[in-house]
Amino acid sequence: MAAAENDVGNTTIKEDYTSSTALATTEENVSSKVTETRITTSGHAQYPKIYNNRIVWEDERNGNWSIYLYDISTKRETHISTNESSQRSPAIYGDKIVWEDDSHMLPYWYLSDIHMYDLSTKKETQIPPNFDGMVAEVLPAIYGDKIVWQDLYDEDSGISMYNISTKEETFITADAYSPDIYSNRIVYYAYRNENSRPDIYMYDISTKKETRITTSGSAGKPAIYGNKIVWEDERNGNADIYMYDISTKKETQITSSPDWQRSPAIYENKIVWEDDGGDDDGWENHGIYMYDISTNQKMKISAKGSAYNPAINSNNIVWQYGKEYGGNSNIYMATVGVPQPKSPVAAFSAKPTSGKVPLKVQFTDKSSNSPTSWKWNFGDGKYSTLKSPSHTYSTAGIYTVSLTVKNKAGTNTKTIKNYITASELKSPVAAFSASPRSGKAPLKVQFTDKSANSPTSWKWSFGDKTYSTAKNPVHKYSKAGKYTVSLTVKNAKGSNTKTISGYIVTAKK
C-alpha cells in the first residue's frame, strides 16, 4: 500500500492574540503569544498526534477513514494508508506510524488489527494478531521499538504489547483500557478495585510489576511522559485533570473547574487538555488549554471553542476543530512562543572597596536578564571571566572597574570610576589596652590590640614567662606581682614593639 504525497495549500491563521485564564490551584494569570496554523482543509480530519515535525491524523475525505501525515518543515502532506478499509487512531514515534486497521475484519465480528508504516523504508507491516486473530486491536500507542494497544474480546478488554526488534507479542493485563507508553512504562485505566470502578495503573516492562496510581475509582484516559502521568478524574462530580509524579509519589490536581476538563496529553513540563463545558453553559466546549508545571501557570491555546483531542510535542500543540460526528472537522496547530532572552544589564558590587595593599576584594555580579558570559576589568591590567571573582590589588592606587556581560540577545557594560582605593601599606605601630589591670590573683585579663597600619601578626609577652600570638588574647595571672607587658606587631613593611612596665598588678588572695 504505497503512500501518496502531495503539496497542501494550508491556510495559516497568524492571530497574535493574548489569552489568560486563572488556574484554580494557583490563581495566577499569564499572557503568552500563540501562533495558530490550519493543517487540513478536508473537513473530515480528527484525532491528531504529533512527533517532532510530523503530524498524523485520521481522515474520511475519500469516503473511508485513512491515515495522513503532514511534515511541518516541508509543508507537505502524505497519504499513508490507501486501502479501502478503515484505518483509525494513529500514533507516531520517530519514523514509525501505527494505527488500527479493519482490512481483515470478518463479516460477523469487528476484528481490527494493528498496522505499522515505516517512513524510512516506505513499508507497511501488519502486526501479528493475538489470540488467533479473534480479538479486535484498537487505540495503539508507540514508543521506541514498542507498540501497545487495547484488545477487545468477547465483552472484555486488555492491554498487549509488541516489540518491533524481537517481533515478540506480550499480553500485559486484562480488564484494562486506553494504554499509553513511555520508555519501559505502560499506563492504562483498569477495573481492579472492589467496586469495579476505574483507576489508573502503571506496568513496568522491565520488572513486570503493576502499580496502582489512583484510588478515586473515577479515573480515565491516562498519558505519560518521563516520570509524570496525567489523566482525567471525576472524583469531585465533574472531570478535572490530575498529575502523578512517579519519582516523588506525589499527586497534584492540575485543574479545579465546574466545567469538564478532558483528554489530557503531556510533554516534558507542559500538560494540554480540552475544556468541554458543563451544565451551566449547555456543555459548550471552550477550547484547548495548557498548564506549565515549571512556571505553575495555565493559558488558553486555541483561539476559539469546539476544539478537541489535543496532543503536544515540544512547543507545538495539535487538535481538531469540530466534533468527530457531524462533519467539518480539521486539524490545527499552535506554536507557543518561547520567551526570547532580553539583553543583559550589567551591575555589580564589591567588598571591601578600600583598604591597605595587598587588598583582596570580592566582586559580585548583580546583572539582570540572565547573562551567559562575564568579562571583568579590574583597572590594574588584570581581567577575569568568572561570574563573581575575587581579586587582590598589590599596588596602591585608585582603580576604575568595569564588567561586560553577554547573552544571545546582546551585550552590556557597567563601569564605575575610582571604585577601589588601595592605600600604601606602612610599618605597623604597636598599641594595646587591657582590662582589668589590677585585682587579686588569679586575675583574668582581656588584652586588646590597638595597633595602627594593619599588622598581620602579633606576639604578646605577659611578663610571667608566658606568650600568645592571638590578636586579642585573654590571659590569667595566677600569682601576685607587677607585670611588664609587651606586644610586637608585624606586616609586610616591618615590625614594631610596645612595652609597658608594671602594667598589670595582682595581689594575694
Side-chain angles (χ1 to χ4, degrees):
M1 303 176 189
E5 188 174 278
N6 62 283
D7 290 318
V8 177
N10 291 317
T11 302
T12 300
I13 306 173
K14 292 190 178 296
E15 298 178 0
D16 293 339
Y17 68 96
T18 296
S19 178
S20 63
T21 304
L23 177 63
T25 54
T26 63
E27 298 298 332
E28 184 174 2
N29 287 337
V30 61
S31 296
S32 181
K33 184 175 289 188
V34 176
T35 302
E36 188 173 289
T37 304
R38 185 172 182 174
I39 302 299
T40 69
T41 57
S42 69
H44 298 279
Q46 61 188 29
Y47 293 110
K49 291 291 188 293
I50 182 170
Y51 184 86
N52 289 346
N53 286 321
R54 292 163 171 164
I55 305 170
V56 294
W57 67 93
E58 60 182 62
D59 201 306
E60 202 185 20
R61 69 181 70 173
N62 298 316
N64 67 297
W65 292 106
S66 58
I67 308 303
Y68 284 78
L69 174 141
Y70 180 81
D71 191 307
I72 299 168
S73 56
T74 64
K75 297 182 180 180
R76 292 181 69 86
E77 180 184 273
T78 303
H79 190 182
I80 298 297
S81 62
T82 57
N83 66 55
E84 295 181 356
S85 62
S86 287
Q87 299 89 44
R88 310 199 66 173
S89 303
I92 182 171
Y93 185 92
D95 288 328
K96 296 178 176 63
I97 305 170
V98 294
W99 65 85
E100 60 182 72
D101 192 302
D102 71 0
S103 58
H104 302 90
M105 185 173 67
L106 299 177
Y108 54 88
W109 194 254
Y110 181 74
L111 292 178
S112 62
D113 50 24
I114 305 302
H115 283 225
M116 179 182 73
Y117 184 83
D118 191 319
L119 293 166
S120 62
T121 63
K122 298 183 179 180
K123 180 181 178 181
E124 182 178 325
T125 304
Q126 178 189 359
I127 303 302
N130 200 1
F131 298 106
D132 297 323
M134 297 303 293
V135 172
E137 299 170 338
V138 298
L139 301 178
I142 181 172
Y143 184 93
D145 62 354
K146 299 178 181 69
I147 306 170
V148 295
W149 62 85
Q150 176 181 326
D151 293 312
L152 295 173
Y153 45 92
D154 296 330
E155 295 181 356
D156 210 340
S157 181
I159 306 299
S160 290
M161 179 185 74
Y162 181 78
N163 190 308
I164 301 169
S165 301
T166 64
K167 298 182 179 180
E168 293 178 348
E169 183 172 323
T170 305
F171 182 69
I172 301 298
T173 186
D175 303 319
Y177 304 80
S178 189
D180 194 20
I181 183 171
Y182 185 92
S183 187
N184 282 320
R185 293 164 173 161
I186 305 170
V187 293
Y188 43 86
Y189 72 92
Y191 294 81
R192 298 273 193 275
N193 60 54
E194 57 277 4
N195 297 319
S196 295
R197 300 184 67 186
D199 275 307
I200 306 301
Y201 289 80
M202 179 183 73
Y203 181 84
D204 191 310
I205 299 168
S206 58
T207 64
K208 299 181 180 180
K209 179 182 177 182
E210 181 182 86
T211 302
R212 184 175 179 179
I213 302 300
T214 70
T215 58
S216 64
S218 54
K221 291 189 177 180
I224 183 171
Y225 187 95
N227 286 321
K228 297 179 177 66
I229 304 170
V230 294
W231 67 94
E232 60 182 60
D233 202 308
E234 300 178 22
R235 67 182 68 176
N236 297 316
N238 64 293
D240 272 309
I241 306 302
Y242 287 76
M243 178 187 75
Y244 181 81
D245 191 310
I246 300 167
S247 58
T248 63
K249 298 182 180 180
K250 180 182 178 183
E251 179 186 280
T252 303
Q253 183 175 352
I254 301 300
T255 66
S256 180
S257 170
D259 292 338
W260 289 59
Q261 318 298 311
R262 316 204 76 156
S263 302
I266 182 170
Y267 181 88
E268 292 182 346
N269 285 318
K270 300 180 182 71
I271 304 170
V272 293
W273 67 91
E274 65 187 60
D275 182 329
D276 285 338
D279 288 328
D280 59 337
D281 55 13
W283 301 96
E284 178 184 355
N285 177 283
H286 300 298
I288 306 301
Y289 288 80
M290 182 185 80
Y291 175 72
D292 191 316
I293 301 166
S294 60
T295 62
N296 201 35
Q297 294 172 332
K298 171 187 171 184
M299 62 178 293
K300 188 174 182 181
I301 297 299
S302 61
K304 58 185 180 181
S306 295
Y308 304 89
N309 301 315
I312 181 170
N313 187 273
S314 187
N315 292 308
N316 293 323
I317 302 164
V318 293
W319 68 91
Q320 70 190 63
Y321 272 133
K323 289 188 176 181
E324 175 180 1
Y325 302 105
N328 200 28
S329 59
N330 278 299
I331 307 303
Y332 282 71
M333 179 182 74
T335 300
V336 180
V338 179
Q340 296 300 312
K342 298 179 181 179
S343 293
V345 178
F348 61 90
S349 64
K351 186 177 181 180
T353 57
S354 63
K356 306 293 185 181
V357 294
L359 179 63
K360 186 177 182 179
V361 180
Q362 177 64 56
F363 291 91
T364 303
D365 171 55
K366 293 192 172 181
S367 305
S368 58
N369 299 335
S370 303
T372 55
S373 70
W374 301 261
K375 185 175 182 181
W376 296 83
N377 183 338
F378 299 119
D380 61 352
K382 301 295 178 61
Y383 304 88
S384 176
T385 56
L386 297 177
K387 181 180 180 180
S388 296
S390 62
H391 178 66
T392 299
Y393 290 89
S394 56
T395 304
I398 299 176
Y399 298 96
T400 294
V401 179
S402 66
L403 169 63
T404 299
V405 291
K406 293 182 180 181
N407 65 16
K408 290 183 178 180
T411 303
N412 186 249
T413 299
K414 172 74 172 180
T415 300
I416 304 180
K417 293 183 177 181
N418 304 326
Y419 190 46
I420 303 297
T421 301
S423 303
E424 186 67 42
L425 184 64
K426 298 179 180 180
S427 293
V429 178
F432 61 87
S433 65
S435 180
R437 291 179 51 203
S438 62
K440 293 181 178 181
L443 181 65
K444 188 176 182 181
V445 180
Q446 171 69 62
F447 290 92
T448 303
D449 171 55
K450 293 193 172 183
S451 304
N453 299 335
S454 305
T456 56
S457 70
W458 300 262
K459 184 176 181 181
W460 297 82
S461 173
F462 299 119
D464 59 355
K465 297 183 179 180
T466 58
Y467 306 89
S468 175
T469 56
K471 182 179 181 181
N472 297 305
V474 175
H475 180 65
K476 184 166 66 174
Y477 292 89
S478 57
K479 295 181 180 180
K482 288 185 178 181
Y483 298 95
T484 296
V485 179
S486 67
L487 169 63
T488 299
V489 291
K490 292 182 180 181
N491 65 17
K493 284 291 185 177
S495 64
N496 184 249
T497 300
K498 171 76 171 180
T499 301
I500 305 177
S501 298
Y503 191 52
I504 303 299
V505 178
T506 60
K508 293 181 179 181
K509 295 181 181 180

